[in-house]
Amino acid sequence: TWPSYRVPVILPQSTLNLDKPQFDAEARLEVVSPCGPACHKSSPLPTYEEVKNYLSYETLYANGSLTETEVGIYILSNSGDGSQGKSRTKRQIYGYDSRFSIFGKDFLLNYPFSTSVKLSTGCTGTLVAEKHVLTAAHCIHDGKSYVKGAQKLRVGFLKPKLKDGSKGANITNSAIPEKMKFQWIRVKRTHVPKGWIKGNANDIGMDYDYALLELKKPHKRKFMKIGVSPPARHLPGGRIHFSGYDNDRPGNLVYRFCDVKDETYDLLYQQCDAQPGASGSGVYVRMWKRQDHKWERKIIGIFSGHQWVDMNGTPQDFNVAVRITPLKYAQICYWIKGNYLDCREG
């Protein structure tokens, strides 16, 4: 069952205009961090002022202008620099490759697969509202600077390719998967938390590797709601699911599911098979919603990418997802709705 969480309120306090960014960073499709589960668990909890700082955010507009918004956090009563380290072959497949390419418009255009979209910077995103896409911050900003493609950022939706010039020969072979193409929509504005911009992959930044994009027009597809991430032991079968555009299978949407191996307050560590390009995918689970008497899928995290972790001198690798905590839920929900009253229940 989906647990219900008391969600804090995050409200903008002040907004400053910043200089226009340079857009000079290279888009890297993954983040590498030496700080593993034990290192994250042992790091001190941030103070209230630090959390306020991390959850303040930058907003990038399509015309290149940039603002920084400081936030306040309220509890209502009942009323990385990605330094590469050892350059190993990035083995993001564990044992047998358990990814499934999703073919055919019957699957690709149907929920939940239809909520996965491709970013023009090479990552994946997930539809979370009529005009909003959730993705990883590193797809847009490398922690120091916005990536080259961020100003003209577009989001691609898979559509069937119409057969042109078919001269009356209306014979289709259903065994051949229908060719798909991307239809692109421009992004109007992008929100990135300051926790990502101030930090980097080596320390606190990993916890804030998420961003929200607002499209210039509604996409008219079914979207997936966000939810607060329950503890791993409460996930059905201890498993998570996500679909993304892994770059070793160009043009394919790739689905996978796997067990969560470890978690910190902000991160999930798992060994779902994945390749760069899948980062930014929405990690989801399907649970029973008691109030509505129905099963519901919700996004509980954002797939960040592959990580080599030094476990007592032996390197171990994980794929890492950023959990949607109650604070992050309040922030992302406010970005989507612009009204904290609609963001009270996680």
Side-chain angles (χ1 to χ4, degrees), residues 1-7 228 290-291 298 344-346:
T1 306
W2 282 109
S4 77
Y5 288 92
R6 302 283 313 161
V7 175
V228 174
R290 198 179 281 130
Q291 306 92 303
K298 285 187 191 172
R344 300 293 296 125
E345 290 296 322

Side-chain angles (χ1 to χ4, degrees), residues 230-236 238 263:
R233 65 181 183 278
H234 292 168
L235 301 177
E263 64 184 328

Side-chain angles (χ1 to χ4, degrees), residues 234-306:
H234 292 168
L235 301 177
R239 280 181 174 165
I240 55 168
H241 308 249
F242 61 97
S243 302
Y245 292 98
D246 298 51
N247 59 2
D248 65 333
R249 300 191 186 181
N252 283 6
L253 180 65
V254 185
Y255 162 76
R256 81 241 56 207
F257 63 88
C258 71
D259 299 342
V260 174
K261 299 289 184 197
D262 203 348
E263 64 184 328
T264 65
Y265 184 70
D266 284 284
L267 301 173
L268 287 175
Y269 294 85
Q270 31 75 17
Q271 291 183 317
C272 278
D273 293 333
Q275 291 286 348
S279 52
S281 304
V283 170
Y284 64 86
V285 293
R286 182 173 172 267
M287 290 165 69
W288 182 253
K289 190 160 188 212
R290 198 179 281 130
Q291 306 92 303
D292 300 354
H293 304 290
K294 65 173 187 182
W295 293 97
E296 186 170 40
R297 287 181 183 86
K298 285 187 191 172
I299 294 170
I300 58 156
I302 301 95
F303 179 56
S304 182
H306 184 251

Side-chain angles (χ1 to χ4, degrees), residues 6-9 74-79 340-341 344:
R6 302 283 313 161
V7 175
V9 173
Y74 308 91
I75 308 295
L76 292 191
S77 60
N78 289 337
S79 67
Y340 76 88
L341 292 171
R344 300 293 296 125

